[in-house]
Amino acid sequence: GEDVEQSLFLSVREGDSSVINCTYTDSSSTYLYWYKQEPGAGLQLLTYIFSNMDMKQDQRLTVLLNKKDKHLSLRIADTQTGDSAIYFCAETATTGGFKTIFGAGTRLFVKA
Amino acid sequence: NAGVTQTPKFQVLKTGQSMTLQCAQDMNHEYMSWYRQDPGMGLRLIHYSVGAGITDQGEVPNGYNVSRSTTEDFPLRLLSAAPSQTSVYFCASSPYQGNTIYFGEGSWLTVV
């Protein structure tokens, strides 16, 4: 079945770049997403990429997609303490009726 | 400006009780889904619907029922609550084949 995996924790210093990685298994994925969840809140869409793209940049965020390796990454430039949150990778696949499957989330800690 | 509305926000149940989590969206989205979020597990799909009158099981459907009598509403029913169902529940909606998922604010459920 479909699976999305990501590491559970990442710690960086303020001002450094953060790179959060994700791997997925379903080769029929159409959309891949990054969501951010702050404490006690719901999920907020950060950015998404179509599966026929390699890269997408949006201000401090860069998404890279390696479709051959089924690997997705999110780079946050100049990481700030306000970026501390849980980041979820997700994919929408065409198999099984456009279900969206989420990874377990990567908790980003930003040290001042 | 309502988006996805979930109620209740907090609920404590005794083992064996039943209850319904309500979810409504006002964006005329075809696709609605329920997820549960547990520590270290990320979001897991419980049930989803691709339109009024159509529902299907996700990754963890046991112990839950859903129905979709209208486009707007997608209630989640716990038939006989168990402590293992203690979790945070998120309802979500998106346009069918769309690229953005909108989440409700979450419902914190504790089963004692």
Side-chain angles (χ1 to χ4, degrees):
Chain A
E2 309 94 341
D3 197 12
V4 178
E5 294 189 354
Q6 46 184 134
S7 54
L8 291 182
F9 301 100
L10 176 65
S11 180
V12 300
R13 293 196 180 278
E14 192 174 20
D16 288 350
S17 292
S18 308
V19 179
I20 303 171
N21 294 302
C22 168
T23 57
Y24 60 97
T25 57
D26 196 320
S27 57
S28 69
S29 295
T30 54
Y31 301 102
L32 295 129
Y33 312 84
W34 285 104
Y35 284 82
K36 178 182 181 181
Q37 184 183 32
E38 295 180 358
L43 274 72
Q44 169 198 0
L45 177 67
L46 277 182
T47 187
Y48 64 90
I49 189 168
F50 296 112
S51 57
N52 62 358
M53 296 168 64
D54 297 323
M55 185 182 91
K56 181 177 180 181
Q57 188 149 3
D58 185 0
Q59 299 182 339
R60 292 190 298 124
L61 305 178
T62 303
V63 178
L64 294 177
L65 175 61
N66 181 329
K67 198 171 181 182
K68 174 175 168 289
D69 294 338
K70 297 179 190 165
H71 181 265
L72 183 74
S73 68
L74 173 70
R75 179 176 179 271
I76 306 172
D78 187 25
T79 312
Q80 303 297 308
T81 54
D83 294 324
S84 293
I86 304 176
Y87 291 82
F88 290 92
C89 171
E91 63 161 354
T92 296
T94 55
T95 53
F98 284 88
K99 290 185 295 187
T100 299
I101 303 296
F102 286 77
T106 299
R107 190 177 293 273
L108 176 64
F109 296 95
V110 183
K111 295 176 284 190
Chain B
N1 219 19
V4 180
T5 305
Q6 286 180 236
T7 56
K9 194 166 177 68
F10 299 99
Q11 182 73 51
V12 178
L13 284 179
K14 291 183 180 177
T15 297
Q17 284 185 316
S18 62
M19 78 156 297
T20 299
L21 297 176
Q22 302 290 345
C23 177
Q25 52 93 7
D26 60 359
M27 297 171 282
N28 202 33
H29 286 168
E30 293 291 332
Y31 185 86
M32 295 186 74
S33 50
W34 276 102
Y35 295 87
R36 58 178 287 174
Q37 183 181 28
D38 301 293
M41 305 285 286
L43 288 169
R44 292 184 291 169
L45 182 64
I46 305 172
H47 285 284
Y48 68 101
S49 167
V50 298
I54 307 168
T55 63
D56 205 349
Q57 296 181 349
E59 303 169 84
V60 287
N62 293 340
Y64 306 95
N65 270 1
V66 291
S67 59
R68 185 91 180 274
S69 55
T70 66
T71 299
E72 293 78 21
D73 300 299
F74 191 45
L76 178 73
R77 295 183 190 84
L78 279 72
L79 309 171
S80 176
S84 61
Q85 294 178 302
T86 294
S87 188
V88 183
Y89 292 84
F90 287 96
C91 178
S93 76
S94 67
Y96 187 52
Q97 297 187 7
N99 57 18
T100 301
I101 302 174
Y102 297 83
F103 285 87
E105 293 188 343
S107 297
W108 274 252
L109 176 66
T110 301
V111 182
V112 298

